[in-house]
Amino acid sequence: MKFSYIRRDLKNIKVEKPSKSLTLEQTLGELSVSGNLQFTQINERYIAIQVKQAVKISVCGILIDSESSFPIANAEIITTNAITTSDSGGNFNIVSVSENEIISILINGFLARSINAQDLALQNRCPFVYVSQDYTYLPEVVLSDFITKGISRNIQGATTISNKNFDILPSLIEPDVLQIAQALPGIDSADETAANLNVRGGTSDEFLILWDDIRMYQTGHFFGLISAFNPNLTKNVTIYKNGTSPRYGEGVSGVIALESNNTIPENFQGGLGINVTSANGYGEIPISEKFLLTISGRTSINTGIGNPVYNEFFSKVFQNTVVTTLQNNTTDGVRSTDEAFNFFDVSVKALWKITPRDEVSYHFLAIDNKLQFTERFIATGNSSVLESELEQQNTTNGFSWQRNWGSKIPLTSKVLLYQSNYNRSEFTNNVDLSLLASNQNKVTEKGLKADVSYKLSEQITITGGYQYTDTEIVDAETDSNTPTIESQENSLFSNAFFAGSTLSFFNGTTNVSSGLRFTHYATISESFVEPRFHIDQKLNANWRATVSGELKHQAVYQTVNRDDNLLGVETRDWLLANANNNKILQSKQLGAGINYSKNNWIVATEFFLKNVEGINTANLGFRNQLQETSFTGEYTIKGAEVSLNKKLKDANIWLSYTYQDNTYTFRQFKPETFRNNLDSNHSLTVAGSYDYKNFSFSLGNTFKSGLPYTAPVAGNPVSTVGGISTINYNAPNNKTLPSYFRSDFSASYAVKLDETFRGKINIAVLNIFNRNNALNRYHILENVEGVPTIRRVDEFSLGLTPNISLQLLF
């Protein structure tokens, strides 16, 4: 016989297996009763299956704590089509629910109990529903809807972000995870970009970013102002700031692991979108029940004059560069400039569930940025043409196999083979002087990752694995006056082994996640043994305490490149440690915190101390007396993070605050210790969101202490020795920029067009009051009529930047 049915209708129906001794009619009759199904004989061979229309009933109940006998307030009661919460007396009611519906009861994000709707049928009085809050399943979630809906804290100390039903945030027109991460305390972007994230006072290259477990060396478009990851395909995100899982190497300041969809939907789903800067589309195509093909793409549009977002981006990136110098040039003649900026990203993923226990997948992601700038000058007896081009590319390829070895052997394994390539190339052509010049920074990384996880019991899980990484970086430079290409090639490969465990004691009140990672670099004969741990202690129903610690190292990081680059725009080159006085970075960190959760209030605090050794002044972008130096040292940061969240019926209000004291120490320099370039002592964000029918609104305000800068000595700013003038600086970072304040707004409207299509309109306004927030300040020496003169240079944030997006989802 063959059966015809709609798979999603029968997906969650479970029945006992009928006896083989029954006839066909008897078997169908038994399944009809136990599964609430209706079988219709079409012909001798085909039978159609439908779910019987269930009777709709109303239900109610009173939630009671089985240990204390007190009512349970603010629990979530979830059905297929409705979500409600219990009141202060534990009461709840739901109308028009199927009599066969299984109702889920969640407390603080934990599934506490499931109950059949028939057991709660509305009678003369609502029945008591006894629930134990001392449950131990789904133990990974500690704080649900932390900061806002879709963000949670798990038992291992990591923060997780789920793209499903994510709440709106100020300034966002799309749920971009790199910008969402900046809502968390301790995570910031000092240069106000989406892609360059600073975690607990560390530089952006110290934050390891993984896409489907593959390291990304480029994460943004337009110099990082736009994230390079399609928001529609990023399903889950895991962020570590301390107590990192031992399976992660690199990233001395943290890890953010982005994952694409790993489940096969029943039907084709996707979307098309357009905003002021780009157009995008994606599709998740279930070729069969076992094979999924996911495709996405995004490309820049309308990057010319008249685009308010593009104009703001362009002004921010090219302020105080050759471009603005050209615009201010008063030399007699006709001057014109042309600029063109284009970007795109393409992603492809194929997922094949070969057997119920085995699945293989292929991942591909390509990111491309290209900027072209041409200056033409025509004057009497003189003309010139200068062409410049900058291109950044990142491509990744990965193949993985994952296997679940079965219930009798609670073992899962995964093997990943991958390659990640990054290339930044710059090119200039002075047509009149016949001078061509170019430089390149190229990274090629190949790797193998093998993981196993074994569940000894409900309380103990053991993990382990092996990772091989081979990284090669090539720097090349040439010009038409030099017959040869100056090229420097460095490579480094490592073998790493790790083991970890998650332990639960005392009925789940004490949870310990710990591990050890061993990494060996054969080419430089260096090894690192790094313990990590996170302890979560439940003090009572509302209070939890945590302690975290880790040792980490990093062998691949960036140097700030301001010399001989395109139009004076700052770029960053990747480099390998153990070359040109660049040591392997080593960090150690310790943190402790207290969390409180009750009555839709969440308060989370953490105090931390972090130290990173091996940093080099040549890589940090100094614009003072340290600019041309190469001193090795360290930075130490001590600080505290506080977040507060209150959920109301249709609104959500949150506050995020970070305090930090961040200092450099370089023994070869006097003074040895001074403020870090990223030392912003106070950072505060207050924001809220409100939902009304199909509308969502969000407004937020961000305040930050100004960053430090170095001022010349008052009264004696210039020092001249042997006819050579230099700036006479004070001690490094002796002054502070004005405080930073920005207000942002966003709104969205979602509408169901029909059974297939949904529409969404998003509006966002960044920096509503158009404040000129200073992000950097430095001084340069100019010769004005033969007199050495100091000029102060300020770099400012984005001004008023509106954006709008239209989405069609299906």
Side-chain angles (χ1 to χ4, degrees):
M1 304 299 298
K2 288 199 171 183
F3 295 88
S4 175
Y5 56 90
I6 299 175
R7 185 157 59 99
R8 70 169 175 269
D9 290 348
L10 275 61
K11 185 175 182 180
N12 295 318
I13 296 178
K14 295 183 179 181
V15 298
E16 293 293 329
K17 184 177 180 180
S19 170
K20 292 184 178 181
S21 63
L22 300 179
T23 64
L24 175 62
E25 290 75 13
Q26 291 172 330
T27 300
L28 296 181
E30 185 173 304
L31 293 174
S32 176
V33 173
S34 60
N36 193 42
L37 301 172
Q38 179 180 330
F39 296 89
T40 304
Q41 188 96 27
I42 299 176
N43 54 37
E44 292 183 354
R45 190 174 185 188
Y46 285 90
I47 296 175
I49 310 176
Q50 292 177 303
V51 179
K52 292 180 182 178
Q53 293 297 321
V55 177
K56 298 292 185 178
I57 60 175
S58 295
V59 300
C60 68
I62 304 173
L63 297 184
I64 300 296
D65 188 330
S66 58
E67 280 74 33
S68 67
S69 299
F70 291 130
I72 302 174
N74 302 305
E76 290 185 318
I77 296 88
I78 300 176
T79 68
T80 303
N81 300 312
I83 300 177
T84 187
T85 58
S86 59
D87 62 19
S88 59
N91 299 281
F92 70 90
N93 63 78
I94 305 173
V95 297
S96 189
V97 63
S98 170
E99 63 179 354
N100 297 321
E101 179 93 36
I102 300 298
I103 298 176
S104 300
I105 301 172
L106 280 75
I107 303 175
N108 294 328
F110 293 93
L111 177 63
R113 182 176 175 181
S114 297
I115 190 169
N116 195 292
Q118 289 180 330
D119 298 333
L120 299 174
L122 190 60
Q123 301 171 0
N124 294 331
R125 57 176 297 178
C126 298
F128 290 116
V129 180
Y130 290 94
V131 179
S132 172
Q133 298 193 65
D134 193 20
Y135 34 81
T136 57
Y137 37 91
L138 293 182
E140 69 276 5
V141 177
V142 175
L143 295 177
S144 179
D145 294 347
F146 170 65
I147 300 291
T148 187
K149 187 166 64 176
I151 302 179
S152 302
R153 279 264 186 94
N154 67 25
I155 207 75
Q156 284 81 33
T159 301
T160 60
I161 301 174
S162 174
N163 206 3
K164 186 178 181 181
N165 299 322
F166 189 83
D167 231 348
I168 191 171
L169 286 177
S171 81
L172 296 190
I173 58 170
E174 296 173 333
D176 187 315
V177 294
L178 296 186
Q179 291 180 306
I180 291 169
Q182 296 181 38
L184 302 174
I187 300 181
D188 186 28
S189 177
D191 59 3
E192 207 181 51
T193 61
N196 299 330
L197 301 181
N198 308 106
V199 182
R200 291 183 172 175
T203 54
S204 58
D205 56 316
E206 295 175 2
F207 196 36
L208 174 66
I209 299 181
L210 302 170
W211 171 259
D212 279 338
D213 222 17
I214 302 173
R215 182 168 187 172
M216 300 298 301
Y217 287 93
Q218 180 184 349
T219 57
H221 297 304
F222 208 124
F223 301 94
L225 289 169
I226 302 172
S227 170
F229 303 108
N230 192 320
N232 298 299
L233 295 183
T234 307
K235 299 302 181 183
N236 295 293
V237 180
T238 303
I239 300 175
Y240 285 97
K241 293 183 288 185
N242 190 8
T244 310
S245 167
R247 75 176 306 274
Y248 296 112
E250 298 285 304
V252 293
S253 284
V255 176
I256 179 168
L258 296 82
E259 299 177 24
S260 58
N261 185 26
N262 210 38
T263 59
I264 301 177
E266 296 178 5
N267 301 302
F268 170 73
Q269 57 189 35
L272 299 172
I274 185 170
N275 59 50
V276 178
T277 60
S278 64
N280 67 83
Y282 78 100
E284 295 181 342
I285 310 166
I287 306 298
S288 70
E289 294 184 2
K290 297 182 179 180
F291 191 86
L292 172 68
L293 181 64
T294 303
I295 303 174
S296 78
R298 178 170 46 170
T299 182
S300 57
I301 59 172
N302 187 27
T303 57
I305 297 174
N307 183 327
V309 178
Y310 175 80
N311 289 342
E312 281 298 327
F313 284 1
F314 193 85
S315 298
K316 180 182 185 301
V317 170
F318 290 102
Q319 59 185 310
N320 306 313
T321 64
V322 176
V323 176
T324 51
T325 302
L326 293 174
Q327 294 170 347
N328 297 329
N329 198 309
T330 58
T331 305
D332 291 337
V334 179
R335 188 180 306 277
S336 64
T337 60
D338 294 319
E339 66 269 355
F341 175 77
N342 300 284
F343 67 80
F344 71 83
D345 53 76
V346 177
S347 173
V348 177
K349 180 176 181 178
L351 176 65
W352 183 19
K353 295 185 181 292
I354 303 175
T355 72
R357 296 182 181 177
D358 298 271
E359 65 179 43
V360 296
S361 61
Y362 168 73
H363 319 253
F364 171 79
L365 176 63
I367 301 169
D368 189 277
N369 284 255
K370 190 173 185 179
L371 171 66
Q372 295 172 304
F373 183 86
T374 303
E375 181 219 354
R376 297 179 179 87
F377 176 75
I378 301 174
T380 304
N382 181 29
S383 65
S384 65
V385 177
L386 178 65
E387 299 174 337
S388 302
E389 181 178 296
L390 168 66
E391 187 165 15
Q392 289 178 292
Q393 299 169 314
N394 197 115
T395 59
T396 62
N397 289 272
F399 177 84
S400 66
W401 169 45
Q402 185 169 323
R403 177 173 174 80
N404 184 341
W405 294 83
S407 57
K408 294 184 179 180
I409 307 176
L411 176 72
T412 59
S413 62
K414 182 179 180 180
V415 178
L416 169 67
L417 286 168
Y418 72 91
Q419 179 167 319
S420 184
N421 300 290
Y422 167 79
N423 183 51
R424 179 197 59 78
S425 59
E426 294 183 10
F427 167 82
T428 58
N429 178 19
N430 191 318
V431 176
D432 305 284
L433 299 179
S434 299
L435 179 63
L436 299 174
S438 67
N439 63 69
Q440 180 187 44
N441 179 236
K442 183 179 179 181
V443 182
T444 302
E445 180 174 295
K446 303 174 184 177
L448 165 68
K449 296 182 178 181
D451 295 75
V452 294
S453 177
Y454 187 80
K455 192 169 185 177
L456 287 173
S457 67
E458 291 296 323
Q459 292 77 35
I460 303 175
T461 300
I462 297 176
T463 59
Y466 164 76
Q467 295 174 1
Y468 169 80
T469 307
D470 183 358
T471 307
E472 179 184 79
I473 296 182
V474 177
D475 292 293
E477 193 172 322
T478 185
D479 63 65
S480 55
N481 293 330
T482 306
T484 60
I485 298 175
E486 295 183 11
S487 178
Q488 184 177 7
E489 179 179 323
N490 296 289
S491 61
L492 193 66
F493 69 87
S494 65
N495 293 280
F497 301 87
F498 66 89
S501 64
T502 57
L503 309 174
S504 180
F505 305 104
F506 312 116
N507 295 322
T509 58
T510 302
N511 293 273
V512 180
S513 303
S514 61
L516 190 69
R517 183 180 180 90
F518 171 78
T519 307
H520 177 66
Y521 296 92
T523 52
I524 58 177
S525 300
E526 285 201 53
S527 299
F528 298 88
V529 178
E530 300 166 335
R532 290 98 180 264
F533 71 90
H534 177 80
I535 302 173
D536 182 283
Q537 176 63 51
K538 183 177 181 181
L539 304 176
N540 57 36
N542 308 120
W543 292 90
R544 308 184 80 97
T546 62
V547 179
S548 303
E550 65 178 24
L551 295 181
K552 298 182 75 175
H553 77 278
Q554 183 171 336
V556 185
Y557 46 91
Q558 289 179 319
T559 181
V560 177
N561 177 22
R562 290 197 177 100
D563 298 326
D564 301 322
N565 54 354
L566 177 73
L567 306 174
V569 179
E570 176 185 298
T571 57
R572 298 169 186 248
D573 290 344
W574 290 99
L575 57 85
L576 281 174
N578 267 47
N580 299 325
N581 198 31
N582 293 309
K583 294 186 176 182
I584 291 179
L585 302 181
Q586 297 184 62
S587 73
K588 46 184 177 287
Q589 187 174 183
L590 187 66
I594 293 288
N595 301 327
Y596 172 80
S597 175
K598 186 178 182 180
N599 296 334
N600 287 330
W601 281 96
I602 294 177
V603 181
T605 64
E606 185 168 5
F607 301 88
F608 62 90
L609 177 65
K610 184 175 75 170
N611 174 264
V612 177
E613 299 177 345
I615 60 173
N616 191 319
T617 54
N619 303 325
L620 298 174
F622 282 106
R623 289 285 188 97
N624 51 27
Q625 62 267 52
L626 292 168
Q627 185 168 343
E628 303 297 330
T629 63
S630 181
F631 300 143
T632 300
E634 63 185 280
Y635 73 83
T636 301
I637 177 171
K638 52 188 176 182
E641 300 169 357
V642 179
S643 60
L644 184 149
N645 173 245
K646 173 61 176 177
K647 288 184 284 289
L648 304 172
K649 182 179 180 181
D650 298 313
N652 186 37
I653 302 171
W654 68 92
L655 176 150
S656 175
Y657 170 75
T658 303
Y659 166 78
Q660 64 177 29
D661 179 13
N662 195 353
T663 57
Y664 290 125
T665 299
F666 296 99
R667 307 296 182 191
Q668 299 165 275
F669 182 78
K670 300 296 181 182
E672 292 185 355
T673 301
F674 53 91
R675 292 178 66 190
N676 192 301
N677 292 339
L678 299 172
D679 183 34
S680 176
N681 296 133
H682 305 279
S683 177
L684 173 69
T685 297
V686 180
S689 62
Y690 175 74
D691 297 327
Y692 176 74
K693 295 184 178 180
N694 292 335
F695 291 91
S696 295
F697 307 92
S698 186
L699 178 67
N701 298 280
T702 299
F703 167 85
K704 293 189 290 186
S705 300
L707 293 170
Y709 71 95
T710 306
V713 175
N716 184 28
V718 179
S719 176
T720 303
V721 179
I724 299 177
S725 298
T726 58
I727 298 176
N728 187 21
Y729 286 107
N730 279 288
N733 292 339
N734 68 308
K735 293 286 188 177
T736 303
L737 290 171
S739 298
Y740 176 105
F741 180 79
R742 196 183 80 192
S743 297
D744 304 319
F745 172 78
S746 61
S748 68
Y749 173 72
V751 59
K752 184 177 181 180
L753 303 176
D754 56 28
E755 294 300 320
T756 302
F757 294 96
R758 292 175 291 120
K760 195 172 185 181
I761 302 174
N762 304 283
I763 299 173
V765 182
L766 186 146
N767 197 359
I768 298 172
F769 301 112
N770 197 27
R771 286 179 56 93
N772 285 328
N773 290 304
L775 301 178
N776 190 19
R777 177 174 294 172
Y778 58 94
H779 298 78
I780 59 176
L781 195 61
E782 295 180 336
N783 192 312
V784 179
E785 298 180 353
V787 178
T789 305
I790 291 179
R791 180 167 68 90
R792 192 184 84 182
V793 180
D794 285 344
E795 296 178 356
F796 293 98
S797 64
L798 287 169
L800 175 68
T801 309
N803 205 345
I804 183 171
S805 75
L806 306 175
Q807 291 178 287
L808 179 65
L809 307 174
F810 44 85

